[in-house]
Amino acid sequence: GNSVTQMEGPVTLSEEAFLTINCTYTATGYPSLFWYVQYPGEGLQLLLKATKADDKGSNKGFEATYRKETTSFHLEKGSVQVSDSAVYFCALSDPGTGANSKLTFGKGITLSVRP
Amino acid sequence: GAVVSQHPSWVICKSGTSVKIECRSLDFQATTMFWYRQFPKQSLMLMATSNEGSKATYEQGVEKDKFLINHASLTLSTLTVTSAHPEDSSFYICSARETGISNQPQHFGDGTRLSIL
């Protein structure tokens, strides 16, 4: 079945540091890939997505590129801010199954950014 | 953008009480909604897929009679935790995907924190 593996956390960085959060996946076919962010006490918000190989999703300074050859979707940001402190989830959805397509989540990783 | 509203955001009740949680898509129609459960510092666990006008599809290990799901309209799904006990205490999150548009992501509610005393 489908699976998503995220690097172990938590991650603590100083403000303006470079961020990389690794994510690899296992799936048949060509899934869509997502990064979701969860702030304390809240639900998940879509951060970015990519639907096919070599697509780059980007939002709020975050980027991730869909790499089929390495089955990866690593999240990067050049300069993190304190407000980026949150839990980040990598996820994939079953390819081509329409509205019922389920999301498979990684375990999530907590990012803390120090001033 | 698409918004999903979940209510209530927090509920505390006595053991044996039944609790209903609502999930609404505010500016789009959603034939399908999803219910998740999240334990502290853990990922989301899909409980069931809610389908408008038909029975929900439950994931393996989730008790259908314990977690009743009703999806009576294209904008509303409800999850009722029946005869709740302390082990049902958790963070419940719903999501919805806009009907009829391919490759749309799921949009999540802000979650409901359920505490059973």
Side-chain angles (χ1 to χ4, degrees), chain A residues 5-21:
Chain A
T5 302
Q6 289 184 235
M7 59 185 280
E8 293 288 329
V11 172
T12 302
L13 296 173
S14 297
E15 202 165 27
E16 298 184 2
F18 183 84
L19 169 72
T20 299
I21 300 177

Side-chain angles (χ1 to χ4, degrees), chain A residues 32 34 36 38 41-46 49 51 87 89 93 96 98-103 105-108, chain B residues 32 34 36 38 41-44 46 49 51 59 91 93 97-98 103-111 113:
Chain A
S32 294
F34 307 87
Y36 283 87
Q38 185 179 31
E42 299 183 11
L44 273 67
Q45 298 176 25
L46 177 66
K49 67 174 183 177
T51 57
V87 181
F89 292 95
S93 67
N100 279 1
S101 176
K102 302 176 186 178
L103 280 173
F105 284 91
K107 289 186 176 181
Chain B
T32 303
F34 303 88
Y36 296 86
Q38 185 180 30
K41 300 187 185 300
Q42 295 190 26
S43 189
L44 280 72
L46 179 64
T49 302
N51 301 299
E59 296 299 302
F91 193 53
I93 306 176
R97 179 182 284 121
E98 189 166 358
N103 287 328
Q104 283 295 297
Q106 291 183 24
H107 299 281
F108 287 79
D110 281 341
R113 188 161 303 283

Side-chain angles (χ1 to χ4, degrees), chain B residues 38-77:
Chain B
Q38 185 180 30
F39 292 99
K41 300 187 185 300
Q42 295 190 26
S43 189
L44 280 72
M45 179 191 78
L46 179 64
M47 299 174 66
T49 302
S50 171
N51 301 299
E52 188 267 335
S54 64
K55 292 183 179 180
T57 304
Y58 289 82
E59 296 299 302
Q60 190 173 11
V62 178
E63 298 178 59
K64 301 178 183 181
D65 295 333
K66 176 73 172 177
F67 299 100
L68 299 179
I69 291 172
N70 183 279
H71 194 153
S73 78
L74 287 171
T75 59
L76 174 64
S77 175

